[in-house]
Amino acid sequence: MEQTAPTLAELQTLIEMTGTINMEVFYWWCTGLMVIIHAGFLAYEMGASRLKNALASGVKNILAFAFIIPTFFFFGWWIYLAMYNGFTPDYEAAAAGLPWSTNMGPNLADNASGIFWGAFVLFAATTASIFSGAVIERIRMSSFLILAIILGSVVWILGASWGWHPTGWLTVEWGFHDFGAAGAVHMVAGFFALGVTINLGARLGRFAPDGTPIEIKGHSMPMTIIGLMLIIVGFFGFLGGCIIYAGSAQWTTIFGTPVTLSAVSFNTLMAFSGGIIGAYFVTRQPFWMMSGALAGIFSAAPGLDLYYPPLAFLLGITGGVVAPLADKFITNKFKIDDAVGAFAVHGVGGLIGIIGLGIFSGFPNVIEGAPAISFMGQLKSAGVMALLGFVPGFGLSYVMAKMNFLRVPPKAEEMGLDIVEVPLQAYPESVPAYSSEIPATKVTATASA
Amino acid sequence: MNASPITTWEGAEAYFTFADSPTAMMVILALAVAATVGAVVASVLHENHTYIDYK
Protein backbone atom coordinates (compact mmCIF):
# COMPACT_ATOMS: atom_id res chain seq x y z
CA MET A 1 0.00 0.00 0.00
CA GLU A 2 1.37 3.39 -0.97
CA GLN A 3 1.87 5.76 1.93
CA THR A 4 1.44 9.47 1.35
CA ALA A 5 3.08 12.14 3.46
CA PRO A 6 0.67 14.21 5.51
CA THR A 7 -0.04 17.66 4.20
CA LEU A 8 0.96 20.77 6.12
CA ALA A 9 -2.69 21.41 6.91
CA GLU A 10 -3.05 17.90 8.33
CA LEU A 11 0.08 18.35 10.44
CA GLN A 12 -1.19 21.71 11.66
CA THR A 13 -4.52 20.14 12.67
CA LEU A 14 -2.69 17.31 14.44
CA ILE A 15 -0.49 19.71 16.40
CA GLU A 16 -3.42 21.90 17.41
CA MET A 17 -5.52 18.93 18.54
CA THR A 18 -2.60 17.49 20.49
CA GLY A 19 -2.19 20.83 22.25
CA THR A 20 -5.89 21.04 23.03
CA ILE A 21 -6.02 17.54 24.47
CA ASN A 22 -2.82 18.10 26.48
CA MET A 23 -4.44 21.23 27.92
CA GLU A 24 -7.49 19.24 28.97
CA VAL A 25 -5.35 16.49 30.47
CA PHE A 26 -3.28 18.99 32.43
CA TYR A 27 -6.26 20.73 34.05
CA TRP A 28 -8.10 17.45 34.56
CA TRP A 29 -5.32 16.20 36.84
CA CYS A 30 -4.90 19.55 38.53
CA THR A 31 -8.60 19.37 39.39
CA GLY A 32 -8.22 15.80 40.61
CA LEU A 33 -5.33 16.79 42.85
CA MET A 34 -7.39 19.66 44.22
CA VAL A 35 -10.00 17.20 45.45
CA ILE A 36 -7.27 16.03 47.82
CA ILE A 37 -7.41 19.50 49.39
CA HIS A 38 -10.92 18.63 50.49
CA ALA A 39 -9.93 15.22 51.80
CA GLY A 40 -7.40 17.16 53.83
CA PHE A 41 -9.86 19.76 55.07
CA LEU A 42 -12.25 16.96 55.99
CA ALA A 43 -9.68 15.14 58.13
CA TYR A 44 -8.31 18.39 59.51
CA GLU A 45 -11.66 19.73 60.70
CA MET A 46 -12.90 16.44 62.08
CA GLY A 47 -9.66 15.98 63.98
CA ALA A 48 -9.81 19.54 65.30
CA SER A 49 -13.32 18.95 66.61
CA ARG A 50 -14.06 17.36 69.94
CA LEU A 51 -15.38 13.82 69.79
CA LYS A 52 -18.96 15.01 70.25
CA ASN A 53 -18.72 17.18 67.12
CA ALA A 54 -16.45 15.17 64.83
CA LEU A 55 -19.12 13.89 62.44
CA ALA A 56 -21.09 17.13 62.33
CA SER A 57 -17.91 18.94 61.31
CA GLY A 58 -17.39 16.36 58.58
CA VAL A 59 -20.95 16.68 57.32
CA LYS A 60 -20.60 20.46 57.22
CA ASN A 61 -17.41 20.23 55.21
CA ILE A 62 -18.80 17.71 52.74
CA LEU A 63 -21.97 19.71 52.21
CA ALA A 64 -20.01 22.90 51.53
CA PHE A 65 -18.24 21.11 48.70
CA ALA A 66 -21.51 19.70 47.40
CA PHE A 67 -23.41 23.00 47.38
CA ILE A 68 -20.60 25.00 45.80
CA ILE A 69 -20.60 22.83 42.66
CA PRO A 70 -24.16 23.50 41.41
CA THR A 71 -24.27 27.11 42.58
CA PHE A 72 -20.98 27.80 40.82
CA PHE A 73 -22.61 26.35 37.70
CA PHE A 74 -25.74 28.46 38.16
CA PHE A 75 -24.01 31.83 38.65
CA GLY A 76 -20.38 31.61 39.84
CA TRP A 77 -18.71 31.12 36.48
CA TRP A 78 -20.82 33.87 34.93
CA ILE A 79 -19.68 36.31 37.65
CA TYR A 80 -16.04 35.55 36.83
CA LEU A 81 -16.48 36.17 33.13
CA ALA A 82 -18.71 39.24 33.57
CA MET A 83 -17.38 41.33 36.45
CA TYR A 84 -13.73 42.02 35.61
CA ASN A 85 -14.44 45.77 35.31
CA GLY A 86 -15.75 46.08 38.87
CA PHE A 87 -19.50 46.13 39.38
CA THR A 88 -20.45 46.69 35.73
CA PRO A 89 -21.02 43.35 34.04
CA ASP A 90 -19.80 42.62 30.53
CA TYR A 91 -22.79 40.62 29.32
CA GLU A 92 -21.23 39.79 25.98
CA ALA A 93 -18.02 38.39 27.46
CA ALA A 94 -20.00 36.39 30.01
CA ALA A 95 -22.56 34.91 27.62
CA ALA A 96 -20.60 31.64 27.45
CA GLY A 97 -20.89 31.32 31.23
CA LEU A 98 -24.67 31.47 31.41
CA PRO A 99 -26.01 28.16 32.72
CA TRP A 100 -28.09 27.69 29.59
CA SER A 101 -25.21 28.45 27.20
CA THR A 102 -24.23 25.66 24.84
CA ASN A 103 -20.69 26.12 26.15
CA MET A 104 -21.84 24.91 29.58
CA GLY A 105 -22.11 21.25 28.63
CA PRO A 106 -20.60 18.63 26.33
CA ASN A 107 -19.56 20.49 23.19
CA LEU A 108 -17.08 19.22 20.60
CA ALA A 109 -16.27 22.78 19.58
CA ASP A 110 -15.29 23.83 23.11
CA ASN A 111 -12.63 21.84 24.98
CA ALA A 112 -11.91 24.66 27.42
CA SER A 113 -15.06 25.80 29.24
CA GLY A 114 -15.74 22.64 31.22
CA ILE A 115 -12.19 22.00 32.28
CA PHE A 116 -11.63 25.61 33.41
CA TRP A 117 -15.02 25.65 35.12
CA GLY A 118 -14.04 22.46 36.96
CA ALA A 119 -10.74 23.91 38.16
CA PHE A 120 -12.47 27.08 39.33
CA VAL A 121 -15.12 25.05 41.16
CA LEU A 122 -12.35 23.47 43.17
CA PHE A 123 -10.85 26.87 43.94
CA ALA A 124 -14.33 27.96 45.04
CA ALA A 125 -14.79 24.92 47.25
CA THR A 126 -11.39 25.63 48.79
CA THR A 127 -12.60 29.07 49.94
CA ALA A 128 -15.65 27.47 51.56
CA SER A 129 -13.47 24.89 53.31
CA ILE A 130 -11.13 27.59 54.61
CA PHE A 131 -14.12 29.34 56.16
CA SER A 132 -15.59 26.07 57.40
CA GLY A 133 -12.81 25.33 59.87
CA ALA A 134 -13.10 28.65 61.67
CA VAL A 135 -16.71 28.11 62.72
CA ILE A 136 -16.82 24.47 63.76
CA GLU A 137 -18.70 23.21 66.80
CA ARG A 138 -21.31 25.98 67.12
CA ILE A 139 -22.59 27.29 63.77
CA ARG A 140 -25.95 26.15 62.44
CA MET A 141 -25.53 23.87 59.45
CA SER A 142 -28.06 25.75 57.30
CA SER A 143 -26.63 29.18 58.04
CA PHE A 144 -23.17 27.82 57.31
CA LEU A 145 -24.37 26.48 53.97
CA ILE A 146 -25.83 29.83 52.97
CA LEU A 147 -22.65 31.66 53.97
CA ALA A 148 -20.48 29.07 52.20
CA ILE A 149 -22.48 29.46 49.00
CA ILE A 150 -22.19 33.26 49.16
CA LEU A 151 -18.45 33.01 49.76
CA GLY A 152 -17.70 30.23 47.29
CA SER A 153 -19.98 31.13 44.42
CA VAL A 154 -20.20 34.92 44.70
CA VAL A 155 -17.65 36.73 46.85
CA TRP A 156 -14.32 35.06 46.07
CA ILE A 157 -15.11 34.74 42.37
CA LEU A 158 -15.86 38.45 42.25
CA GLY A 159 -12.40 38.99 43.74
CA ALA A 160 -10.96 36.57 41.17
CA SER A 161 -12.62 38.49 38.35
CA TRP A 162 -11.10 41.71 39.70
CA GLY A 163 -7.63 40.47 40.54
CA TRP A 164 -7.10 37.00 39.10
CA HIS A 165 -8.27 37.47 35.53
CA PRO A 166 -6.45 38.32 32.29
CA THR A 167 -8.01 41.80 32.28
CA GLY A 168 -9.19 42.29 35.87
CA TRP A 169 -9.37 45.94 36.87
CA LEU A 170 -6.90 45.59 39.73
CA THR A 171 -4.22 44.55 37.25
CA VAL A 172 -5.26 46.96 34.51
CA GLU A 173 -5.43 49.95 36.87
CA TRP A 174 -2.85 49.15 39.56
CA GLY A 175 -0.63 46.45 38.05
CA PHE A 176 -1.75 43.88 40.64
CA HIS A 177 0.02 40.53 40.38
CA ASP A 178 -0.97 37.47 42.38
CA PHE A 179 0.16 34.23 40.78
CA GLY A 180 -1.24 31.84 43.39
CA ALA A 181 -4.48 33.66 44.28
CA ALA A 182 -3.33 34.74 47.73
CA GLY A 183 -5.84 37.57 47.46
CA ALA A 184 -8.92 36.14 45.77
CA VAL A 185 -8.80 32.77 47.54
CA HIS A 186 -6.88 33.13 50.80
CA MET A 187 -7.37 36.73 51.86
CA VAL A 188 -11.03 36.81 50.84
CA ALA A 189 -11.81 33.52 52.61
CA GLY A 190 -9.74 34.42 55.68
CA PHE A 191 -11.29 37.85 56.12
CA PHE A 192 -14.77 36.45 55.43
CA ALA A 193 -14.16 33.91 58.22
CA LEU A 194 -13.00 36.70 60.52
CA GLY A 195 -16.18 38.67 59.89
CA VAL A 196 -18.36 35.67 60.66
CA THR A 197 -16.49 34.58 63.78
CA ILE A 198 -16.96 38.06 65.28
CA ASN A 199 -20.74 37.69 65.12
CA LEU A 200 -20.80 33.97 65.79
CA GLY A 201 -18.96 34.27 69.08
CA ALA A 202 -16.68 31.82 70.81
CA ARG A 203 -17.48 28.22 71.64
CA LEU A 204 -18.82 27.69 75.13
CA GLY A 205 -15.88 27.37 77.50
CA ARG A 206 -13.36 28.91 75.11
CA PHE A 207 -12.77 31.84 77.44
CA ALA A 208 -12.87 32.04 81.23
CA PRO A 209 -15.19 34.64 82.76
CA ASP A 210 -12.22 37.00 83.06
CA GLY A 211 -11.49 36.58 79.36
CA THR A 212 -8.51 34.27 79.70
CA PRO A 213 -8.39 31.91 76.68
CA ILE A 214 -8.90 28.22 77.47
CA GLU A 215 -7.62 25.92 74.76
CA ILE A 216 -10.19 23.50 73.38
CA LYS A 217 -8.38 20.46 72.07
CA GLY A 218 -9.64 18.49 69.11
CA HIS A 219 -10.16 14.78 69.48
CA SER A 220 -7.42 13.67 67.08
CA MET A 221 -4.29 15.69 66.52
CA PRO A 222 -2.81 13.02 64.17
CA MET A 223 -5.90 13.24 61.96
CA THR A 224 -5.57 17.02 61.88
CA ILE A 225 -1.89 16.93 60.98
CA ILE A 226 -2.37 14.35 58.24
CA GLY A 227 -5.25 16.45 56.93
CA LEU A 228 -3.00 19.48 56.75
CA MET A 229 -0.40 17.50 54.83
CA LEU A 230 -3.10 16.36 52.39
CA ILE A 231 -4.02 19.99 51.84
CA ILE A 232 -0.38 20.65 50.92
CA VAL A 233 -0.47 17.77 48.41
CA GLY A 234 -3.63 19.18 46.90
CA PHE A 235 -2.08 22.60 46.60
CA PHE A 236 0.26 21.30 43.94
CA GLY A 237 -2.87 20.81 41.84
CA PHE A 238 -4.13 24.21 42.93
CA LEU A 239 -0.91 25.93 41.85
CA GLY A 240 -0.82 23.97 38.61
CA GLY A 241 -4.32 25.26 37.97
CA CYS A 242 -2.98 28.80 38.35
CA ILE A 243 -0.97 28.38 35.15
CA ILE A 244 -2.33 28.87 31.65
CA TYR A 245 -1.45 26.06 29.28
CA ALA A 246 -0.88 27.76 25.95
CA GLY A 247 -0.33 24.75 23.69
CA SER A 248 2.79 25.28 21.61
CA ALA A 249 3.85 28.46 23.43
CA GLN A 250 5.43 29.05 26.85
CA TRP A 251 3.22 28.66 29.94
CA THR A 252 1.81 31.94 31.21
CA THR A 253 0.30 33.20 34.43
CA ILE A 254 -3.36 34.13 34.48
CA PHE A 255 -2.14 37.70 33.84
CA GLY A 256 -0.41 36.66 30.61
CA THR A 257 3.16 36.95 31.88
CA PRO A 258 5.44 34.04 30.99
CA VAL A 259 6.21 31.41 33.61
CA THR A 260 7.55 27.88 33.89
CA LEU A 261 6.50 25.00 36.09
CA SER A 262 10.14 24.89 37.16
CA ALA A 263 9.81 28.35 38.67
CA VAL A 264 6.76 27.33 40.64
CA SER A 265 8.43 24.10 41.75
CA PHE A 266 11.46 25.95 43.13
CA ASN A 267 9.50 28.51 45.05
CA THR A 268 6.57 26.43 46.30
CA LEU A 269 8.84 23.88 47.94
CA MET A 270 11.13 26.54 49.40
CA ALA A 271 8.18 28.49 50.84
CA PHE A 272 6.60 25.30 52.18
CA SER A 273 9.82 24.45 53.96
CA GLY A 274 10.23 27.98 55.30
CA GLY A 275 6.70 27.94 56.70
CA ILE A 276 7.32 24.76 58.69
CA ILE A 277 10.63 26.00 60.05
CA GLY A 278 9.22 29.40 60.95
CA ALA A 279 6.25 27.93 62.82
CA TYR A 280 8.47 25.37 64.54
CA PHE A 281 10.72 28.19 65.68
CA VAL A 282 7.90 29.99 67.51
CA THR A 283 5.55 27.17 68.58
CA ARG A 284 7.26 23.73 68.49
CA GLN A 285 3.79 22.33 67.78
CA PRO A 286 3.01 20.00 64.87
CA PHE A 287 -0.38 21.64 64.29
CA TRP A 288 1.24 24.99 63.72
CA MET A 289 4.15 23.51 61.79
CA MET A 290 1.74 22.19 59.16
CA SER A 291 -0.44 25.30 59.31
CA GLY A 292 2.79 27.25 58.99
CA ALA A 293 3.60 25.29 55.85
CA LEU A 294 0.36 26.56 54.35
CA ALA A 295 0.96 30.09 55.58
CA GLY A 296 4.45 29.89 54.13
CA ILE A 297 3.16 28.98 50.69
CA PHE A 298 0.53 31.74 50.80
CA SER A 299 3.16 34.25 51.91
CA ALA A 300 5.05 33.60 48.70
CA ALA A 301 2.06 32.72 46.49
CA PRO A 302 1.74 36.01 44.59
CA GLY A 303 5.35 35.75 43.37
CA LEU A 304 5.87 32.01 43.06
CA ASP A 305 6.55 32.72 39.39
CA LEU A 306 9.07 35.48 40.10
CA TYR A 307 11.08 34.94 43.26
CA TYR A 308 14.66 33.88 43.79
CA PRO A 309 13.98 30.62 45.72
CA PRO A 310 15.82 31.60 48.93
CA LEU A 311 13.62 34.72 49.02
CA ALA A 312 10.55 32.49 48.80
CA PHE A 313 12.06 30.51 51.68
CA LEU A 314 12.44 33.67 53.78
CA LEU A 315 8.90 34.77 52.97
CA GLY A 316 7.76 31.28 53.97
CA ILE A 317 9.55 31.63 57.29
CA THR A 318 7.85 34.98 57.77
CA GLY A 319 4.44 33.43 57.17
CA GLY A 320 5.22 30.52 59.46
CA VAL A 321 6.30 32.85 62.26
CA VAL A 322 3.55 35.44 61.87
CA ALA A 323 0.52 33.13 61.44
CA PRO A 324 0.57 31.57 64.95
CA LEU A 325 1.41 34.93 66.50
CA ALA A 326 -1.47 36.58 64.63
CA ASP A 327 -3.83 33.86 65.80
CA LYS A 328 -2.68 34.31 69.38
CA PHE A 329 -3.12 38.06 69.07
CA ILE A 330 -6.72 37.99 67.83
CA THR A 331 -7.56 35.32 70.40
CA ASN A 332 -6.07 37.13 73.38
CA LYS A 333 -6.81 40.69 72.38
CA PHE A 334 -10.21 40.43 70.70
CA LYS A 335 -11.52 37.17 72.19
CA ILE A 336 -12.16 35.75 68.74
CA ASP A 337 -12.51 31.99 68.55
CA ASP A 338 -11.21 30.94 65.15
CA ALA A 339 -11.10 27.21 65.85
CA VAL A 340 -8.35 26.36 63.34
CA GLY A 341 -6.62 29.69 62.85
CA ALA A 342 -8.13 30.15 59.38
CA PHE A 343 -7.85 33.92 59.47
CA ALA A 344 -4.24 33.87 60.63
CA VAL A 345 -3.12 31.22 58.14
CA HIS A 346 -5.08 32.29 55.07
CA GLY A 347 -5.98 35.92 55.69
CA VAL A 348 -2.69 37.04 57.21
CA GLY A 349 -0.61 34.63 55.10
CA GLY A 350 -2.23 35.96 51.93
CA LEU A 351 -1.74 39.54 53.10
CA ILE A 352 1.97 38.95 53.71
CA GLY A 353 2.18 37.43 50.25
CA ILE A 354 0.60 40.34 48.43
CA ILE A 355 2.52 43.00 50.36
CA GLY A 356 5.71 40.94 50.01
CA LEU A 357 5.52 41.04 46.25
CA GLY A 358 4.91 44.77 46.53
CA ILE A 359 8.22 45.09 48.37
CA PHE A 360 10.08 42.96 45.83
CA SER A 361 8.31 44.34 42.77
CA GLY A 362 9.12 46.22 39.57
CA PHE A 363 8.28 43.47 37.10
CA PRO A 364 6.45 44.63 33.96
CA ASN A 365 2.93 43.57 33.09
CA VAL A 366 1.93 42.51 29.59
CA ILE A 367 -1.68 43.72 29.62
CA GLU A 368 -1.87 46.81 27.44
CA GLY A 369 -1.76 49.94 29.55
CA ALA A 370 -1.27 48.10 32.84
CA PRO A 371 1.44 49.57 35.07
CA ALA A 372 4.32 47.47 36.39
CA ILE A 373 3.95 45.59 39.67
CA SER A 374 4.42 48.09 42.49
CA PHE A 375 4.20 48.37 46.24
CA MET A 376 1.25 50.75 46.18
CA GLY A 377 -0.59 48.64 43.60
CA GLN A 378 -0.17 45.55 45.75
CA LEU A 379 -1.06 47.41 48.94
CA LYS A 380 -4.27 48.91 47.55
CA SER A 381 -5.27 45.59 46.01
CA ALA A 382 -4.71 43.83 49.35
CA GLY A 383 -7.06 46.38 50.91
CA VAL A 384 -9.69 45.60 48.29
CA MET A 385 -9.38 41.86 48.91
CA ALA A 386 -9.60 42.29 52.69
CA LEU A 387 -12.74 44.41 52.43
CA LEU A 388 -14.27 42.14 49.81
CA GLY A 389 -13.97 39.23 52.24
CA PHE A 390 -14.71 40.95 55.51
CA VAL A 391 -17.70 43.15 54.64
CA PRO A 392 -20.06 40.45 53.30
CA GLY A 393 -18.91 37.94 55.95
CA PHE A 394 -19.53 40.36 58.77
CA GLY A 395 -22.69 41.89 57.29
CA LEU A 396 -24.48 38.65 56.46
CA SER A 397 -23.57 36.95 59.72
CA TYR A 398 -24.65 40.06 61.64
CA VAL A 399 -28.12 39.83 60.10
CA MET A 400 -28.25 36.08 60.75
CA ALA A 401 -27.22 36.58 64.36
CA LYS A 402 -29.90 39.22 64.85
CA MET A 403 -32.46 36.75 63.46
CA ASN A 404 -31.14 34.14 65.92
CA PHE A 405 -30.29 32.01 62.92
CA LEU A 406 -26.52 31.84 63.11
CA ARG A 407 -25.72 29.65 66.07
CA VAL A 408 -27.00 26.41 67.55
CA PRO A 409 -28.79 26.59 70.94
CA PRO A 410 -26.42 26.44 73.95
CA LYS A 411 -27.83 23.12 75.13
CA ALA A 412 -27.24 21.54 71.73
CA GLU A 413 -23.69 22.88 71.74
CA GLU A 414 -23.07 21.38 75.17
CA MET A 415 -24.52 18.06 74.13
CA GLY A 416 -22.52 17.92 70.92
CA LEU A 417 -23.72 18.34 67.36
CA ASP A 418 -23.18 14.72 66.35
CA ILE A 419 -25.98 13.46 68.53
CA VAL A 420 -28.16 16.51 67.92
CA GLU A 421 -27.87 16.92 64.18
CA VAL A 422 -26.46 13.80 62.56
CA PRO A 423 -27.28 11.78 64.83
CA LEU A 424 -24.48 9.23 65.04
CA GLN A 425 -21.37 8.69 67.09
CA ALA A 426 -17.94 8.84 65.49
CA TYR A 427 -16.50 5.95 67.49
CA PRO A 428 -19.47 4.12 69.02
CA GLU A 429 -17.44 1.14 70.28
CA SER A 430 -14.69 3.05 72.01
CA VAL A 431 -14.89 6.34 73.84
CA PRO A 432 -18.22 7.57 75.17
CA ALA A 433 -18.74 11.04 73.75
CA TYR A 434 -22.04 12.01 75.30
CA SER A 435 -23.32 12.62 78.77
CA SER A 436 -26.31 10.88 80.30
CA GLU A 437 -28.39 14.02 79.71
CA ILE A 438 -29.19 13.08 76.13
CA PRO A 439 -32.95 13.18 75.57
CA ALA A 440 -34.40 9.69 75.37
CA THR A 441 -35.74 10.30 71.85
CA LYS A 442 -32.25 11.00 70.55
CA VAL A 443 -30.75 7.93 72.17
CA THR A 444 -33.39 5.80 70.49
CA ALA A 445 -32.75 7.43 67.13
CA THR A 446 -29.03 6.80 67.44
CA ALA A 447 -29.49 3.20 68.45
CA SER A 448 -31.74 2.46 65.51
CA ALA A 449 -29.56 4.27 62.97
CA MET B 1 -38.20 10.66 24.50
CA ASN B 2 -35.69 11.86 21.95
CA ALA B 3 -33.28 14.01 23.93
CA SER B 4 -30.54 14.08 21.30
CA PRO B 5 -29.95 17.33 19.43
CA ILE B 6 -27.95 15.56 16.73
CA THR B 7 -28.63 12.92 14.15
CA THR B 8 -24.99 12.47 13.13
CA TRP B 9 -21.62 13.05 14.81
CA GLU B 10 -20.34 14.66 11.61
CA GLY B 11 -19.86 18.35 12.37
CA ALA B 12 -21.51 18.05 15.79
CA GLU B 13 -20.79 20.78 18.33
CA ALA B 14 -23.03 21.08 21.44
CA TYR B 15 -24.46 17.57 21.63
CA PHE B 16 -25.72 17.25 25.19
CA THR B 17 -29.29 16.30 25.99
CA PHE B 18 -31.77 18.98 24.88
CA ALA B 19 -29.00 21.30 23.60
CA ASP B 20 -31.34 22.29 20.78
CA SER B 21 -34.31 22.95 23.04
CA PRO B 22 -34.01 26.07 25.21
CA THR B 23 -37.36 25.33 26.84
CA ALA B 24 -36.34 21.87 27.96
CA MET B 25 -32.99 23.21 29.20
CA MET B 26 -34.77 25.91 31.20
CA VAL B 27 -37.13 23.40 32.79
CA ILE B 28 -34.24 21.12 33.80
CA LEU B 29 -32.21 24.07 35.05
CA ALA B 30 -35.17 25.33 37.09
CA LEU B 31 -35.60 21.89 38.64
CA ALA B 32 -31.89 21.77 39.52
CA VAL B 33 -32.08 25.22 41.13
CA ALA B 34 -35.22 24.19 43.01
CA ALA B 35 -33.52 21.03 44.29
CA THR B 36 -30.54 23.04 45.53
CA VAL B 37 -32.64 25.69 47.24
CA GLY B 38 -34.98 23.01 48.55
CA ALA B 39 -32.12 21.16 50.16
CA VAL B 40 -31.08 24.27 52.06
CA VAL B 41 -34.68 24.90 53.14
CA ALA B 42 -34.97 21.27 54.24
CA SER B 43 -31.82 21.73 56.29
CA VAL B 44 -33.37 24.76 58.03
CA LEU B 45 -36.55 22.81 58.81
CA HIS B 46 -34.58 19.80 60.04
CA GLU B 47 -32.63 21.99 62.42
CA ASN B 48 -35.69 23.83 63.67
CA HIS B 49 -37.29 20.50 64.47
CA THR B 50 -34.13 19.06 66.00
CA TYR B 51 -33.47 22.01 68.27
CA ILE B 52 -36.90 21.84 69.90
CA ASP B 53 -35.48 19.38 72.44
CA TYR B 54 -32.52 21.64 73.17
CA LYS B 55 -34.07 25.07 73.62
Side-chain angles (χ1 to χ4, degrees):
Chain A
M1 182 189 291
E2 186 182 350
Q3 286 189 325
T4 56
T7 64
L8 278 176
E10 286 171 336
L11 283 173
Q12 182 67 27
T13 302
L14 177 68
I15 291 168
E16 286 174 1
M17 199 62 213
T18 303
T20 300
I21 288 174
N22 283 343
M23 178 274 293
E24 281 192 292
V25 168
F26 176 74
Y27 289 111
W28 173 270
W29 290 116
C30 285
T31 305
L33 268 176
M34 277 195 277
V35 175
I36 297 174
I37 291 176
H38 297 281
F41 272 117
L42 185 62
Y44 168 45
E45 285 181 34
M46 288 197 296
S49 299
R50 286 164 289 182
L51 200 55
K52 63 182 181 178
N53 296 315
L55 293 179
S57 292
V59 169
K60 182 168 65 62
N61 190 283
I62 294 165
L63 282 179
F65 196 179
F67 276 92
I68 291 298
I69 295 169
T71 53
F72 200 82
F73 185 94
F74 299 151
F75 45 81
W77 189 230
W78 182 87
I79 291 172
Y80 181 71
L81 298 178
M83 304 303 289
Y84 60 89
N85 280 324
F87 290 109
T88 309
D90 181 340
Y91 293 106
E92 191 178 335
L98 289 166
W100 51 84
S101 161
T102 52
N103 296 83
M104 294 296 280
N107 186 332
L108 295 174
D110 182 358
N111 290 57
S113 289
I115 209 75
F116 278 104
W117 172 83
F120 271 72
V121 164
L122 269 294
F123 293 129
T126 300
T127 64
S129 282
I130 291 167
F131 160 57
S132 175
V135 295
I136 54 173
E137 300 196 305
R138 77 279 205 201
I139 197 167
R140 272 183 73 131
M141 189 77 76
S142 50
S143 56
F144 166 76
L145 289 176
I146 292 166
L147 289 167
I149 289 168
I150 298 291
L151 170 61
S153 291
V154 180
V155 176
W156 96 272
I157 195 63
L158 185 61
S161 190
W162 291 356
W164 206 50
H165 183 284
T167 53
W169 72 269
L170 292 178
T171 303
V172 172
E173 299 290 330
W174 297 339
F176 181 53
H177 187 89
D178 182 11
F179 170 81
V185 169
H186 302 290
M187 276 195 72
V188 168
F191 278 82
F192 188 96
L194 177 67
V196 174
T197 50
I198 290 171
N199 290 311
L200 181 62
R203 288 166 289 179
L204 296 176
R206 180 67 177 89
F207 295 97
D210 66 353
T212 306
I214 300 169
E215 189 179 355
I216 295 178
K217 293 184 171 68
H219 85 281
S220 175
M221 182 59 80
M223 186 187 286
T224 297
I225 294 166
I226 290 168
L228 282 161
M229 186 59 95
L230 285 173
I231 295 172
I232 298 282
V233 174
F235 261 95
F236 280 82
F238 182 106
L239 294 170
C242 296
I243 293 178
I244 303 298
Y245 183 97
S248 56
Q250 179 63 282
W251 304 90
T252 71
T253 67
I254 210 158
F255 309 100
T257 52
V259 65
T260 63
L261 274 174
S262 283
V264 182
S265 172
F266 272 132
N267 287 325
T268 304
L269 288 168
M270 291 293 272
F272 161 77
S273 162
I276 294 174
I277 292 169
Y280 176 73
F281 179 70
V282 294
T283 70
R284 305 282 191 262
Q285 292 180 17
F287 170 81
W288 275 110
M289 287 162 61
M290 290 313 304
S291 293
L294 288 171
I297 292 175
F298 309 151
S299 296
L304 287 174
D305 53 329
L306 302 172
Y307 287 135
Y308 174 48
L311 178 57
F313 178 71
L314 292 176
L315 286 166
I317 289 178
T318 306
V321 167
V322 171
L325 297 179
D327 185 62
K328 193 174 178 182
F329 177 74
I330 65 163
T331 303
N332 293 344
K333 181 78 176 173
F334 300 107
K335 314 303 173 199
I336 289 171
D337 180 16
D338 178 346
V340 296
F343 169 71
V345 172
H346 296 269
V348 176
L351 178 65
I352 293 169
I354 292 174
I355 303 295
L357 184 57
I359 294 169
F360 306 104
S361 58
F363 291 90
N365 269 304
V366 297
I367 300 169
E368 193 176 340
I373 304 167
S374 68
F375 178 77
M376 286 311 295
Q378 295 295 108
L379 181 66
K380 289 188 289 186
S381 300
V384 169
M385 292 297 175
L387 288 173
L388 183 61
F390 183 81
V391 172
F394 182 86
L396 287 167
S397 60
Y398 179 82
V399 173
M400 287 177 167
K402 287 292 176 193
M403 295 168 65
N404 200 24
F405 180 63
L406 186 61
R407 187 168 176 139
V408 301
K411 195 173 177 185
E413 187 179 342
E414 284 175 18
M415 199 66 68
L417 301 182
D418 284 8
I419 199 69
V420 175
E421 284 197 352
V422 181
L424 286 172
Q425 294 184 42
Y427 305 98
E429 294 177 338
S430 55
V431 186
Y434 313 105
S435 73
S436 57
E437 297 172 9
I438 301 170
T441 53
K442 297 298 171 188
V443 175
T444 308
T446 308
S448 61
Chain B
M1 180 186 294
N2 180 17
S4 171
I6 59 170
T7 53
T8 173
W9 289 102
E10 195 68 38
E13 293 190 356
Y15 63 89
F16 55 86
T17 48
F18 303 113
D20 60 344
S21 172
T23 306
M25 282 172 66
M26 285 296 180
V27 169
I28 294 167
L29 178 63
L31 289 170
V33 171
T36 306
V37 174
V40 176
V41 172
S43 174
V44 174
L45 298 176
H46 165 70
E47 285 176 322
N48 288 343
H49 176 73
T50 301
Y51 294 148
I52 289 172
D53 289 339
Y54 297 91
K55 290 271 167 118

